[in-house]
Amino acid sequence: MQPIATPGGVRPQRPAARTSPKDSCIIPRDPDFELYDNVGRDADQIHAARYNLATRGDLKRLARRDAQPFRAAHPLPDQPWPAPDLTPYLDALAAARTPAEVDAVTDHVLDAAEPALRALSDYLVAAARWKQENRDAAKGSPSHLLMTAASRALSALALADEAGLNRLRAAYDPAPAPSAPADASRGATASLPPAPPSTGPAPRR
């Protein structure tokens, strides 16, 4: 390091900044992806910044942008499906005192919810079959996941019905308690070897 003459004396020359090999290998981010750091970010954003990936928000934002002409040509309802009024069901459930009364309320709820859940399942199946992507779909692929979601939408009804049947069976048809045979204890005792004869107290020393 060569000294540099200054009016106030001689000061050492600062070495030039070196470029880290790590810095030279940084891959530039896609300009459509937002840049995130670790300050005030969620796990998805931190993961995206670390591995140079798009977050869920990035993907949804890009899809909304590219789908604008399609949405204009095919308007869809903006309002969610109307939520059912659960007040009468919850009031009846709170007043129920027996398994039969609980089952009566639950059956009514499942009957009322089945059309909506079946419609959701039908749509998910149609989405899975888009462009016949469901043929030879690998596990974890979009088509496979959609078919799984369609099945689980209806499995909620089946699981709830099974829970109701189990409650009724416990009330009306409980499994008999296991009982040991009457001679089981005697047989166990008879199988033991006889006790040795008593020889009296041991001699004192």
Side-chain angles (χ1 to χ4, degrees):
M1 181 168 53
Q2 298 295 330
I4 300 177
T6 61
V10 177
R11 62 179 177 85
Q13 182 179 2
R14 300 179 60 183
R18 296 181 179 179
T19 302
S20 171
K22 180 179 178 181
D23 297 336
S24 61
C25 297
I26 293 178
I27 302 174
R29 289 187 60 84
D30 189 308
D32 285 331
F33 298 166
E34 296 181 9
L35 182 62
Y36 300 105
D37 55 30
N38 291 0
V39 180
R41 305 300 184 183
D42 58 29
D44 187 30
Q45 293 169 338
I46 294 174
H47 180 80
R50 180 177 300 172
Y51 296 103
N52 198 36
L53 299 174
T55 66
R56 181 184 186 277
D58 289 327
L59 298 175
K60 291 293 186 178
R61 176 173 51 82
L62 296 174
R64 284 193 300 267
R65 181 198 65 189
D66 294 340
Q68 284 180 355
F70 174 83
R71 288 292 307 272
H74 301 274
L76 300 172
D78 291 331
Q79 298 299 323
W81 292 351
D85 182 13
L86 293 180
T87 302
Y89 301 101
L90 295 176
D91 290 345
L93 181 62
R97 293 295 178 266
T98 66
E101 294 169 351
V102 173
D103 189 69
V105 180
T106 304
D107 274 353
H108 277 75
V109 172
L110 297 181
D111 290 342
E114 182 177 4
L117 290 177
R118 192 166 296 279
L120 174 61
S121 177
D122 291 344
Y123 172 79
L124 294 175
V125 169
R129 293 175 175 171
W130 179 67
K131 291 188 176 181
Q132 299 181 345
E133 287 183 347
N134 59 306
R135 294 186 176 181
D136 300 324
K139 184 177 181 180
S141 65
S143 180
H144 178 268
L145 293 176
L146 286 168
M147 293 297 287
T148 303
S151 175
R152 291 182 181 179
L154 296 179
S155 66
L157 297 173
L159 287 174
D161 183 69
E162 182 181 358
L165 288 178
N166 289 346
R167 178 182 278 121
L168 294 178
R169 189 172 302 281
Y172 293 107
D173 187 25
S179 58
D183 57 346
S185 58
R186 293 197 300 270
T189 304
S191 63
L192 296 176
S198 176
T199 57
R204 296 181 180 179
R205 292 187 180 182

